[in-house]
């Protein structure tokens, strides 16, 4: 199955619901695989999407994860309802995290989420307003890898 | 090397039901940080960790991990085991430390 027109969808993610963590990313990954997108692109998209999904679960009351797939690119937008990030530059530094102790004990909150998202995207944008929320936009181009599975 | 062969060589306990032990193990990754595993583990790796909560299943599934080995005799909660069985991710247990079991797996995979 190839991509002929834009395929889009969205997931509502509830903050604090660790029991459903990964559901949205898994669905997106399965969809990308079914479209015959190369393994390497699927791998990068899965990492970026999963980290975005986890950030909504760990840090916010709720958010929406949207995807849009065209023959040229995958676009993922994660939009949440707060609390917003005070210092984005600091938040983008690998190892920096504001996660509470109990979240760290689960192996989350190691300060790798945002850097992982950036690393695995071709384009990465983040906007945040304290008290309102954060929006992350990630674009991954499809023509970078020629090895189809 | 299949997970079944590794299980026999290391006397690992299989904790999940109906696991796919015929999966090929091509390498290993040791970490208790889930984003680190997301970033750096490879498809086909066996994942050695002391984390036992539900999210290890999602990480393993997304990364194409061949199986999870829980160290130090820890036991995952029933919810984790149920989810892992559902997703077909085998979870195995050992009383050894991450250092000991990793060393043995490293040797076995390199000698194979």
């Amino acid at each position: 199955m190839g991509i002929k027109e834009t395929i889009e969808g969205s997931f509502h993610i509830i903050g604090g619901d660790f029991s459903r963590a990964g559901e949205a990313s898994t669905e997106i990954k399965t969809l990308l695989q079914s479209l015959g997108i190369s393994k390497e692109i699927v791998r990068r998209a899965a990492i970026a999407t999963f980290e975005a999904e986890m950030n909504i679960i760990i840090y916010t009351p709720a958010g929406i994860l949207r995807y849009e797939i065209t023959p040229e690119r995958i676009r993922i937008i994660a939009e949440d309802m707060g609390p917003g990030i005070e210092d984005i530059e600091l938040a983008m530094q690998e190892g920096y995290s504001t996660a509470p102790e109990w979240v760290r004990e689960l192996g989350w909150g190691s300060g790798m989420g945002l850097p992982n998202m950036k690393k695995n995207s071709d384009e990465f944008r983040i906007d945040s307003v304290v008290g309102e929320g954060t929006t992350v936009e990630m674009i991954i181009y499809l023509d970078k890898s020629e090895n189809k599975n | 090397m299949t997970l079944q062969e590794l299980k026999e060589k290391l006397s690992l306990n299989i904790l999940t039901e109906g696991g796919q032990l015929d999966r090929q193990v091509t390498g290993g990754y040791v970490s208790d940080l889930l984003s680190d595993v997301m970033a750096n583990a490879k498809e086909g790796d066996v994942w050695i960790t002391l984390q036992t909560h539900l999210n290890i299943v999602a990480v393993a599934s997304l990364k194409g991990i061949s199986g999870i080995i829980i160290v130090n005799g820890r036991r995952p909660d029933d919810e984790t085991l149920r989810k892992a069985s559902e997703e077909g991710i085998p979870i195995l247990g050992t009383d050894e430390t991450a250092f000991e079991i990793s060393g043995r797996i490293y040797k076995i995979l390199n000698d194979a």
Side-chain angles (χ1 to χ4, degrees), chain A residues 18-19 21-23 25-26 29 39 43 46-47 50-51 54 104-108 110 112-113 116, chain B residues 32-41 43 51 53-55 58-59 61-64 79 83 87:
Chain A
F18 282 81
S19 70
E23 279 185 14
S25 332
T26 302
K29 184 186 171 188
K39 238 176 162 171
R43 188 188 69 80
I47 295 173
F50 185 64
E51 293 289 5
M54 280 318 302
R104 291 176 199 249
E105 275 169 18
L106 295 176
W108 297 114
S110 55
M112 292 180 73
N116 271 358
Chain B
D32 303 321
L33 298 178
L34 281 72
S35 287
D36 174 40
V37 176
M38 276 312 287
N40 299 316
E43 196 176 334
Q51 295 289 357
H53 62 88
L54 192 58
N55 297 156
V59 170
S61 170
L62 272 164
K63 290 299 288 185
E79 186 70 3
K83 180 91 175 166
E87 303 262 331

Side-chain angles (χ1 to χ4, degrees), chain A residues 71-145:
Chain A
E72 290 80 36
R73 54 152 180 74
I74 304 163
R75 183 165 169 246
I76 308 280
I77 298 166
E79 196 177 352
D80 68 54
M81 295 168 62
I85 301 169
E86 268 180 44
D87 188 336
I88 290 178
E89 207 182 316
L90 199 56
M92 289 305 300
Q93 278 180 25
E94 197 155 326
Y96 178 82
S97 174
T98 57
E101 191 52 37
W102 71 270
V103 169
R104 291 176 199 249
E105 275 169 18
L106 295 176
W108 297 114
S110 55
M112 292 180 73
L114 287 171
N116 271 358
M117 286 185 236
K118 190 177 180 188
K119 259 184 231 166
N120 287 286
S121 311
D122 293 311
E123 286 179 36
F124 177 88
R125 272 182 286 277
I126 178 165
D127 287 302
S128 191
V129 178
V130 173
E132 286 184 22
T134 303
T135 302
V136 175
E137 181 186 6
M138 299 177 284
I139 293 175
I140 300 173
Y141 292 105
L142 296 181
D143 55 5
K144 290 244 165 140
S145 170

